[in-house]
Amino acid sequence: MSEQQYAISQYPDVDEVYARLNNLISQPMRSVRPEKMQEYLAYFDNNCKRSKELTDEAKTYIPGGVQHNLAFNYPFPIAIEKAADAYMWDVDGNKYIDFLQAGGPTILGSNYAPVREKVTEMLQSCGPVTGLFHEYELKLAKLIQQHMPSIEMFRMLGSGTEGVMAAIRAARTFTKKRIVIKVGGAYHGWSDSMVFGLHVPGTGRLESAGIPWGATSSTEEFFPNSLGALKRQLILNRLLGGTAAVIVEPVGPESGTRPVPFDFNRKVRELCDEFGALLIFDEVVTGFRLGLGGAQGYFGVKPDLTVFGKCVTGGFPMAGGVGGRRDVIMTFAAGIGGIGKKAYVGGTLSANPLSCVAGYYAIKEMERTNAPVIAGKAGDRLTAGLNAIIEKHGLPFVAYNQGSIVHLETSGVMLLDFRNPIRLAKELKPRKHMIEQMGAAYMANGLITLAGSRMYTSMADTDAVIDEALSRFEAVLSECV
Ligand SMILES: Cc1ncc(COP(=O)(O)O)c(C=O)c1O
């Protein structure tokens, strides 16, 4: 491991980021000029014909034509045939620089051969699943603990969503309290109790179709970075039987789209201690991406429980788990005899040999290559280049990064919330449409982003890849009027 252990070389000046974002949202939108946008949209009709055929046909069999939330791209989804390192190729043979990186798990780059080979060996010897114990479960748990000492025990599960569900259940069982507080706008997966205050702070049950009121009645949200509001809720909850846990994404909701001040996590830790609530870090994105010690190592804050996903299997299926304090994790029932009430967890395919071997070697490769730091440097280079383009063209856009998590805000849609409902009602749709268009414009220029506003860099992003990407970004951004 080189001197720098974490992906973040310099923590963003959060006040400055918000000042720039507020400036962005206070102005009319600066979109790609309409004639140019028509040209970009024509790219899809002319160059992505097979993608269109496939995803049109899929609409007959699959609701919406695509299954993954990140794949609902404007003007229509593209179908991918091949992925390697920093690139993806669609079924029409178009090549893209891939800043989606599957939504975050592939810090080593897509389809990384050394891990794939270990997985293939496992498939040949054992197959993907047996239902019984495999040594790699132990190896993975020990390796995680070695890098994140707060993980005294680890329970592997099927996804980040399951990890969050399990963490909340363990927290409630352990504390014997009911209420869980999250940050408004944060995404912690799609379990019943967490589809609350989703994406836009203050929206509560707006997206809770199909979820009974009872399932969200013990979930509360507070506005991003409002420690005063959190404290007030903790005080109030004391009268209602207490708070079982506060769950946060340590860089801020939506992978730091609303970034937190550096000392935010420490202050939340203090409040949790004061009120007897457990602190859950959702490190589904940050775990290993920010460094092998995770966000908890970077911020120097010890959570009671940590949720894992994505990087924990290096992009292989069934990426999820929860780890933390021995006394809390021991509340889980499965596999543990004993007395008292236990929190139930399960999963036919959880902790299968394939996922565990993938996770073990992905983390070993991250250790060997220093991938999180290399990916972080690529994120720094991309961000610096984007800011130079923004300045050169006199645009109000905002680029900042937390290592390999890069944000490029062009519409400011993420800054809208229920504190200003009139602006929210008026601007949500057009500003959302603008980032859809930006995403399409980038894609027509051979760049795949997450929803037109976020990029995950990986170890495969060499300087040459980033510089090529920057010239493509400039082609789009210079057309914004
Ligand atoms: C912070 C965070 N928590 C939880 C989840 C849910 O993880 P999964 O998609 O594996 O269920 C996600 C997924 O993007 C996430 O970003």
Side-chain angles (χ1 to χ4, degrees), residues 89-253:
W89 289 260
D90 67 18
V91 285
D92 293 282
N94 303 303
K95 182 180 178 184
Y96 302 88
I97 298 177
D98 172 14
F99 289 127
L100 178 59
Q101 288 296 321
T106 49
I107 188 92
L108 296 156
S110 270
N111 202 0
Y112 182 70
V115 178
R116 187 179 64 228
E117 279 154 19
K118 295 292 181 189
V119 170
T120 309
E121 275 172 31
M122 177 63 78
L123 284 173
Q124 271 154 3
S125 65
C126 183
V129 64
T130 66
L132 296 184
F133 182 76
H134 196 286
E135 186 181 355
Y136 274 102
E137 293 174 51
L138 172 63
K139 280 175 168 271
L140 177 60
K142 277 171 77 175
L143 190 58
I144 292 172
Q145 192 203 66
Q146 185 189 318
H147 290 294
M148 297 187 202
S150 84
I151 312 300
E152 293 168 3
M153 297 193 111
F154 175 68
R155 170 80 210 213
M156 184 101 169
L157 293 161
S159 63
T161 298
E162 287 187 22
V164 170
M165 271 169 61
I168 290 173
R169 198 168 290 174
R172 286 180 171 150
T173 307
F174 183 79
T175 60
K176 301 189 173 57
K177 295 170 186 168
R178 184 172 53 81
I179 299 166
V180 171
I181 306 180
K182 61 164 284 197
V183 181
Y187 181 66
H188 296 293
W190 55 282
S191 63
D192 277 4
S193 68
M194 284 290 108
V195 180
F196 185 86
L198 211 60
H199 305 309
V200 182
T203 45
R205 283 185 49 91
L206 196 69
E207 301 205 49
S208 302
I211 300 173
W213 278 85
T216 52
S217 62
S218 302
T219 310
E220 296 177 352
E221 56 171 317
F222 68 101
F223 275 98
N225 300 338
S226 298
L227 287 163
L230 172 62
K231 184 161 185 173
R232 281 191 295 281
Q233 272 167 266
L234 287 162
I235 292 170
L236 193 66
N237 290 350
R238 214 157 33 188
L239 306 172
L240 304 169
T243 305
V246 178
I247 180 166
V248 296
E249 251 192 285
V251 288

Side-chain angles (χ1 to χ4, degrees), residues 1-2 6 13 45 52 75 84 87 89 108 143 194 224 262 313 338 393 413 426 436 461:
M1 178 78 73
S2 77
Y6 289 96
D13 179 340
D45 291 331
K52 178 134 179 54
Y87 301 103
W89 289 260
L108 296 156
L143 190 58
M194 284 290 108
F262 187 83
T313 57
H393 296 278
V413 65
K426 198 168 132 233
E436 282 168 0
D461 289 320

